[in-house]
Amino acid sequence: MNAPVNPPKLYDCRDAFAATLERLAAENETIVAVCNDSVGSSKLGGFKSKFPDRLVNVGIAEQNMVGVGAGLANGGRLPYVCGASPFLTGRSLEQIKADISYSNANVKLVGISSGMAYGELGPTHHSIEDFAWTRVLPNLPVIAPCDRIETAAAVEWAASYNGPCFLRLSRVGVPDLLPEGHKFEVGKANLLREGSDVTLIANGTLTHRIVKAAEILAGRGIKARVLNMATVRPIDEAAIIAAANETGAIVTAEEHSIFGGLGSAVAEVVVDNTPVPMKRLGVPGVYAPTGSAEFLLDEFGMAPAAIADAAQALIKRK
Amino acid sequence: MEPSELERVARQIRLRDLQAVYEAGAGHIGGEMSVIDLLTALYFRVLRVWPDQPRHPDRDRFVLSKGHTACALYVTLAKRGFIPEEEISTFLKPHSRLNGHPNCNKVPGVETNTGPLGHGLPVAVGMAKAAKLSGAKYHTYVVTGDGEMQEGSNWEAIMAAYQFRLDNLTLIIDHNRFQQGASLSDTNDLAPLRPKLEAFGWEVSEINGNDMHAIVPALEHRSDRPHCIVAHTNKGHGISFMQDRVDWHHKVPSKEQYEIALAELSEAL
C-alpha cells in the first residue's frame, strides 16, 4: 500500500495582495486603495482599518473608479484600483485605454477573482476576456502571478514601477511554486522544470496544473519544460523562441478564452520567429456551464492528466 | 486680468481658432466658439499655473472633457505661453503633437487625455480627491459639453464628488444646446440641468457663459460643496451664420464663409 500523501497547502493570492499592499502603504503614504464596494472581495478590510482615509470607495461605478484612479495619480497619489476583474476591465475598458494606458497614468489596476473564480455565478461573472482586452493596450504590463509569493512580489514591483499595469488575481487556492524571496521581473518567464521534448507554458492558477502535467509526462518518459509566464505583455519572447527551438512543441494553458490570451500571445511569437506545433488550452470560445472553477478547468481539458495527454499528442506532430 | 481685457483676449483666440480650423480643413468650430470665453477666463484670470513649469505640483488642474474642441485649448495654451504660438499652424498635420484631441504626454498644460466623452469629470474627481488626501491647495476645474452629460460615467462622478465633499472641484457645463447630430432637446434632453445637479447635492450657478462679467465671479466662487456652473452659451458664438446651428459642429467654412467670419471677428477687435 502506498504511503499517504499530504496535499500541499493552498493559498488565496488575495491574502498576499492585501498583506503586501498594507505593508507598502505603511512605508509610502502616497499609496491609496480604490474600490467599487469591493472592500470584502478585494480583501481591503485590513487596509481600511489601518488607513481609513486612504481607502477610496466609489460605490458600484467602475467607469468612475478608473477615471478617479487616473486623477489620483495626476495629484501625486499611488492608486491601486481594485475590483472584480470582469467589471473592472469590461465595464471600464475605454477608461483603461484613454485615462490609464494612453495617458500613461501611474495607476495599478488589480482585477480580482479573474478567470473562472466565480464559476457557479455564470458567464457574466467569468473573466476570461481580460487578457485579450488589456494586452492590446500600449504602456500596460499585464501580469497574472501563479502563487502567493509571486503575487506579493508583483504587488511590490508595481509600487516601484513608474507607470500603469494590470495585475490579474484569482481567489482560487494555489500551492506555493516559487521560492520565498522570489523577485518579480516584468516580462521574464520562470523556468520551473527543464525538459527537451515539449514546453508547457501557463500563468496564474494554471501554472500548478502544468507542473503536475509535467510530472505525469515524466512518468511516461517524456521530458517537458515548464515555464511560468506571469507577464502576458510584454511577453518573454526569448524564452518562447528558445522553447520552440529546443523542445519543438509548445502547449499553453490558461484560465481564459483561447482567443486573445496567453496562448495567442505565445503563438504570435512562435509564428513570427520559429514556427513549431502548438496546442492552446483554455476556454474554446463558448460560455461555460455551471460549476466551480476547478470543475470548469477540468471540463475544458485542463486537468493535469488531460494537459499531459494534449502534450503527448502534440509531440507526434513534431 | 479684468473682464474687458479678457473679452479682447477671447476675441483674439476666436480669430486664431477660426484660422487654424480653416487652414487644417477640420476641427469642431461650433463648440470651440462656445467654450472660448470660459477657457480665456480660466487661463488668463482664474487658474494658478506656471507655463514654464507645467507640472508644478501646486498648479490648479484644468480638464477639457469635451476634448474635440482641442484647437481652442491649443490656441489658449499657446497664448498663455505653454506652447509656441507659431506651432498652432501644425494643428492636425502629420506628426504634429496638436492632435484632434489633447494628449497630456505631448502637450504641456494638458492634464489627461480626453476625446471619448464622459471621461474628464471622473478624472477631475480623482484630482480633487488627491488634493484632499495630500492637503494640496490646488483647485480642479473641468469643462464638459451638455450633450456629453448624457454619458452615465458623469453621473457616477457627480455622486462621488458629493460623497467625498469635494469643495475644491468646479464643473462647468458648456450648455450650448447642441450635440453632434441634433439639438439636445431632440436627442436626450437633460435640460434643465440645475435641479438635477442640485438633487445630487451640488451647488449650482447658472450664468451666461459668453459674458466675462458673469463667468469670472462664477469661476471664483467657493462653497462647502462641489460647484457646478451651468454656462448658457451659443454654439458658434461670435460668428453670425454659425450661431446656434447644429451643422457647425464640425463643418469647415468655405473661403467666402471664412472671409465673412474673419471680418466679423476682426471687426469685434
Side-chain angles (χ1 to χ4, degrees):
Chain A
M1 199 173 147
N2 292 332
V5 177
N6 290 325
K9 187 168 167 47
L10 303 181
Y11 297 92
D12 180 339
C13 289
R14 293 177 303 169
D15 292 322
F17 158 70
T20 309
L21 189 65
E22 287 170 33
R23 179 171 60 75
L24 293 169
E27 298 159 4
N28 181 349
E29 65 168 27
T30 69
I31 287 179
V32 292
V34 187
C35 71
N36 55 340
D37 189 35
S38 61
V39 172
S41 56
S42 299
K43 298 256 184 185
L44 291 171
F47 188 99
K48 187 181 179 186
S49 48
K50 287 185 182 127
F51 316 102
D53 298 338
R54 287 155 63 185
L55 188 279
V56 180
N57 187 346
V58 300
I60 307 162
E62 290 77 18
Q63 296 179 62
N64 184 48
M65 174 170 69
V66 172
V68 165
L72 287 165
N74 173 287
R77 302 298 95 188
L78 181 55
Y80 281 70
V81 175
C82 312
S85 200
F87 315 126
L88 171 69
T89 59
R91 196 123 187 181
S92 58
L93 185 56
E94 192 189 71
Q95 277 73 17
I96 294 175
K97 174 184 169 182
D99 308 347
I100 307 294
S101 152
Y102 181 40
S103 293
N104 203 20
N106 192 18
V107 174
K108 318 305 167 183
L109 300 167
V110 185
I112 302 284
S113 306
S114 60
M116 291 294 187
Y118 287 134
E120 299 90 339
L121 300 187
T124 55
H125 284 56
H126 299 163
S127 192
I128 58 167
E129 305 87 4
D130 49 11
F131 282 151
W133 289 339
T134 55
R135 83 177 180 92
V136 295
L137 301 175
N139 301 328
L140 188 75
V142 175
I143 299 154
C146 70
D147 67 0
R148 71 177 174 94
I149 294 158
E150 191 170 36
T151 300
V155 171
E156 181 154 6
W157 166 84
S160 66
Y161 173 70
N162 185 26
C165 64
F166 171 53
L167 301 177
R168 185 193 201 246
L169 306 181
S170 182
R171 64 194 291 147
V172 174
V174 285
D176 285 351
L177 291 167
L178 296 170
E180 288 283 359
H182 168 78
K183 289 268 181 238
F184 176 78
E185 216 180 325
V186 70
K188 285 280 175 214
N190 315 112
L191 179 67
L192 297 184
R193 187 183 180 109
E194 189 48 275
S196 52
D197 296 327
V198 62
T199 300
L200 311 181
I201 303 178
N203 60 20
T205 53
L206 261 298
T207 299
H208 78 274
R209 288 175 172 247
I210 62 167
V211 169
K212 284 186 192 156
E215 287 163 6
I216 294 168
L217 286 167
R220 300 175 192 173
I222 296 168
K223 297 184 190 71
R225 180 178 299 187
V226 175
L227 291 177
N228 173 49
M229 191 72 73
T231 316
V232 176
R233 179 197 175 98
I235 201 149
D236 189 342
E237 296 198 8
I240 294 167
I241 292 167
N245 288 336
E246 294 163 17
T247 71
I250 296 176
V251 177
T252 59
E254 60 195 307
E255 199 171 340
H256 190 274
S257 168
I258 58 165
F259 301 110
L262 172 70
S264 298
V266 171
E268 287 160 14
V269 176
V270 169
V271 295
D272 279 352
N273 292 279
T274 175
V276 294
M278 268 194 73
K279 178 67 183 173
R280 292 172 296 127
L281 300 174
V283 182
V286 298
Y287 290 113
T290 297
S292 69
E294 300 287 3
F295 165 81
L296 290 172
L297 293 176
D298 289 352
E299 185 80 359
F300 288 120
M302 289 181 281
I307 297 170
D309 291 346
Q312 199 167 357
L314 185 70
I315 289 168
K316 296 199 180 97
R317 288 177 46 204
K318 276 168 68 169
Chain B
M1 212 178 260
E2 291 306 306
S4 58
E5 181 73 355
L6 291 169
E7 285 168 3
R8 199 177 60 81
V9 173
R11 287 198 295 271
Q12 292 169 346
I13 292 173
R14 278 201 167 80
L15 195 62
R16 188 67 192 92
D17 185 275
L18 167 74
Q19 289 170 336
V21 169
Y22 179 68
E23 283 161 17
H28 289 85
I29 195 162
E32 282 157 13
M33 293 300 141
S34 71
V35 79
I36 280 171
D37 295 308
L38 294 162
L39 293 177
T40 305
L42 282 161
Y43 278 94
F44 290 86
R45 164 83 183 226
V46 177
L47 292 178
R48 205 159 158 260
V49 287
W50 296 270
D52 55 337
Q53 296 173 75
R55 299 277 167 104
H56 192 295
D58 299 333
R59 71 195 183 279
D60 285 336
R61 292 341 191 239
F62 172 68
V63 177
L64 181 67
S65 192
K66 43 177 280 183
H68 52 287
T69 58
C71 189
L73 178 63
Y74 298 149
V75 174
T76 309
L77 287 172
K79 202 155 187 61
R80 188 69 175 80
F82 283 90
I83 55 174
E85 291 207 55
E86 57 271 23
E87 197 176 336
I88 298 301
S89 61
T90 71
F91 175 57
L92 306 185
K93 296 257 164 63
H95 290 295
S96 170
R97 60 180 173 170
L98 306 184
N99 176 359
H101 296 91
N103 180 309
C104 64
N105 293 311
K106 293 183 178 172
V107 184
V110 175
E111 297 286 355
T112 186
N113 294 347
T114 53
L117 299 175
H119 285 241
L121 184 56
V123 177
V125 167
M127 291 169 174
K129 179 67 179 172
K132 290 289 177 195
L133 289 164
S134 67
K137 296 295 175 214
Y138 65 79
H139 195 88
T140 299
Y141 298 86
V142 55
V143 169
T144 66
D146 50 1
E148 181 180 0
M149 295 309 291
Q150 292 161 357
E151 291 281 8
S153 52
N154 282 323
W155 299 94
E156 295 182 358
I158 284 165
M159 290 186 276
Y162 179 70
Q163 179 72 21
F164 298 156
R165 299 298 190 272
L166 298 179
D167 58 5
N168 55 354
L169 174 68
T170 300
L171 160 66
I172 307 129
I173 303 176
D174 181 10
H175 193 13
N176 63 27
R177 293 163 281 111
F178 291 94
Q179 48 200 106
Q180 174 174 280
S183 68
L184 195 69
S185 59
D186 286 339
T187 308
N188 182 354
D189 196 1
L190 287 158
L193 284 156
R194 179 180 205 134
K196 297 180 176 71
L197 269 295
E198 283 176 341
F200 281 96
W202 285 52
E203 178 159 344
V204 182
S205 306
E206 234 169 320
I207 62 164
N208 176 346
N210 296 125
D211 175 2
M212 286 298 176
H213 291 88
I215 293 171
V216 169
L219 290 174
E220 290 177 345
H221 176 75
R222 295 289 182 270
S223 78
D224 58 352
R225 291 179 287 163
H227 180 213
C228 173
I229 301 169
V230 179
H232 294 272
T233 60
N234 294 307
K235 200 151 183 166
H237 186 81
I239 302 170
S240 57
F241 59 87
M242 285 188 195
Q243 207 142 303
D244 292 341
R245 298 281 302 276
V246 67
D247 43 337
W248 285 100
H249 181 80
H250 50 46
K251 190 167 146 180
V252 178
S254 66
K255 187 163 187 302
E256 294 69 31
Q257 288 169 327
Y258 174 63
E259 277 161 11
I260 295 167
L262 211 54
E264 287 183 4
L265 293 175
S266 302
E267 218 169 81
L269 276 175

